[in-house]
Amino acid sequence: MNLAELNKVAVAMVAPGKGILAADESSGTIKKRFDGIGVESTEDNRRDYREMMFRTNEAMSKYISGVILYDETIWQKAKDGTPLVEVIRKSGAIPGIKVDEGTKPLPNCPGELITIGLDKLADRLPKYYDQGARFAKWRAVIDIAPGIPSYTAILTNAHALARYAALCQQAQIVPIVEPEVLMDGDHDIDRCVEVTEFVLKETFQQLYYQRVPLEGIVLKPNMAVAGKKSAKKASVQEVAEKTVRMLKNCVPGAVPGIAFLSGGQSDEEATAHLDAMNKIGNLPWNLTFSYGRALQAAPQKAWSGKSENVAAAQRAFLHRAQMNGLASLGQWKSDLEKKAA
Ligand code: 13P
């Protein structure tokens, strides 16, 4: 393992003013998104949609540091025959790859999940590296509900994340370590903080046991937010303060950067929260975005599967990328949203 090289990639992934585009929806998830805009989920439509974003030059070159791809996309070619990986690389962004194989029910833990995909991972990673991937993603899912999460689920998922991270670094690929505590429940923000802290502490302990040098990873956590069904919504300032405090208590300064998932927050919430955290400032790591839905919802709707809508969709993508780029610097203002509308 060349740690200096891994660190260089990790630092570039969280460069100030830039963040990561999570375009790694599985076939099932992208079908759900396409159903929402009335588009059939064919291989060509998925390619056209993602190519539309990757060719939004201003967004990609100024605000996007890297793109997480799904297995299908990393092997796909653009309409003109250029490999999509090449389109991304030419824009200045780094190609990455989702390598987990989704989740399965965790035995003896009703309602809880374990992320799978470790078995052949050591053989798969060099092929992704040869195809141009310089970082990877693995998402663990922890749900909050009465009686859960169990320690069994937290430990087992953290262990898998750490095994994945070690295998990635061995293949000279930077692991994005993503332990996602879902915001689906009716819990308040303090319950989210309590569970997320436990999950992060276990994750870093397991990374230590697997001897993973933290200079060569990027952490992708959830923010501290109330569950979607909670009656008590937290303010932007409360989310920012509680998230920063939680992370300072759990994430060593050796980690080059933290890139949040959006997790079901609205586009503007995801931007405002990130911005408020960076306005607090004085942080030991760069704080940026690795958004899926909060970057793509607007361009997806604008595109709606029609080639005549590509320019409008690219404008919508550029706008969200720019807003989040500013938020990564603590320089976003809500007026900028209104001006664009
Ligand atoms: P969301 O921002 O839509 O949560 O997606 C990010 C991601 O990559 C989840 O694994």
Side-chain angles (χ1 to χ4, degrees), residues 22 24 68 137 139 178 180 220 261-264 290-294:
D24 60 325
I68 317 175
K137 175 189 121 173
R139 171 174 174 259
E178 181 180 5
E180 175 174 5
K220 177 164 173 167
L261 57 96
S262 60
S290 174
Y291 294 162
R293 281 162 286 181

Side-chain angles (χ1 to χ4, degrees), residues 19-298:
I20 298 165
L21 165 64
D24 60 325
E25 298 85 358
S26 63
S27 308
T29 304
I30 196 74
K31 181 178 182 314
K32 228 173 19 192
R33 304 273 185 268
F34 277 17
D35 284 349
I37 52 168
V39 174
E40 199 190 339
S41 184
T42 62
E43 203 175 322
D44 279 356
N45 284 342
R46 292 191 291 271
R47 190 268 321 272
D48 288 349
Y49 167 64
R50 287 167 170 150
E51 182 178 352
M52 175 274 292
M53 289 187 288
F54 305 159
R55 288 204 191 272
T56 308
N57 244 313
E58 192 179 348
M60 295 291 293
S61 61
K62 287 191 185 162
Y63 308 114
I64 301 295
S65 59
V67 182
I68 317 175
L69 301 168
Y70 186 58
D71 180 74
E72 174 184 90
T73 322
I74 202 169
W75 307 104
Q76 255 173 346
K77 288 191 166 75
K79 225 175 199 148
D80 69 2
T82 316
L84 286 178
V85 169
E86 208 38 50
V87 175
I88 293 168
R89 231 184 349 223
K90 275 198 195 126
S91 77
I94 308 167
I97 179 78
K98 180 231 282 293
V99 299
D100 69 64
E101 295 177 332
T103 55
K104 292 276 185 207
L106 181 62
N108 305 319
C109 296
E112 298 191 281
L113 300 170
I114 177 69
T115 301
I116 59 164
L118 282 176
D119 275 4
K120 303 252 160 53
L121 188 55
D123 303 328
R124 290 162 57 212
L125 288 168
K127 294 178 189 140
Y128 287 136
Y129 184 95
D130 289 345
Q131 188 63 12
R134 291 297 174 268
F135 69 92
K137 175 189 121 173
W138 177 288
R139 171 174 174 259
V141 188
I142 300 292
D143 204 0
I144 301 180
I148 63 171
S150 66
Y151 180 57
T152 312
I154 294 172
L155 170 67
T156 314
N157 275 289
H159 180 261
L161 271 170
R163 288 268 293 117
Y164 141 83
L167 286 165
C168 283
Q169 289 187 334
Q170 180 182 270
Q172 208 51 43
I173 289 177
V174 171
I176 293 184
V177 174
E178 181 180 5
E180 175 174 5
V181 177
L182 296 175
M183 57 180 288
D184 291 342
D186 60 6
H187 53 278
D188 65 10
I189 186 172
D190 294 322
R191 176 70 178 142
C192 175
V193 169
E194 180 181 44
V195 171
T196 306
E197 276 200 1
F198 200 113
V199 168
L200 289 174
K201 284 188 181 291
E202 190 64 52
T203 300
F204 280 99
Q205 192 62 29
Q206 294 297 324
L207 288 167
Y208 178 67
Y209 289 150
Q210 296 301 323
R211 307 178 180 188
V212 171
L214 299 181
E215 296 87 346
I217 74 161
V218 169
L219 179 70
K220 177 164 173 167
N222 52 285
M223 296 179 191
V225 288
K228 266 185 261 179
K229 289 182 231 137
S230 170
K232 268 198 320 193
K233 207 168 166 315
S235 69
V236 170
Q237 198 52 31
E238 187 179 2
V239 167
E241 283 169 15
K242 288 189 169 168
T243 303
V244 164
R245 179 163 188 271
M246 170 179 91
L247 294 172
K248 279 188 171 172
N249 273 290
C250 300
V251 185
V255 173
I258 297 175
F260 292 103
L261 57 96
S262 60
Q265 301 177 41
S266 74
D267 296 0
E268 207 169 317
E269 270 169 359
T271 304
H273 289 155
L274 176 63
D275 179 66
M277 285 181 226
N278 280 307
K279 281 194 165 85
I280 294 172
N282 230 339
L283 305 168
W285 357 251
N286 287 349
L287 280 192
T288 189
F289 58 92
S290 174
Y291 294 162
R293 281 162 286 181
L295 273 173
Q296 294 187 53

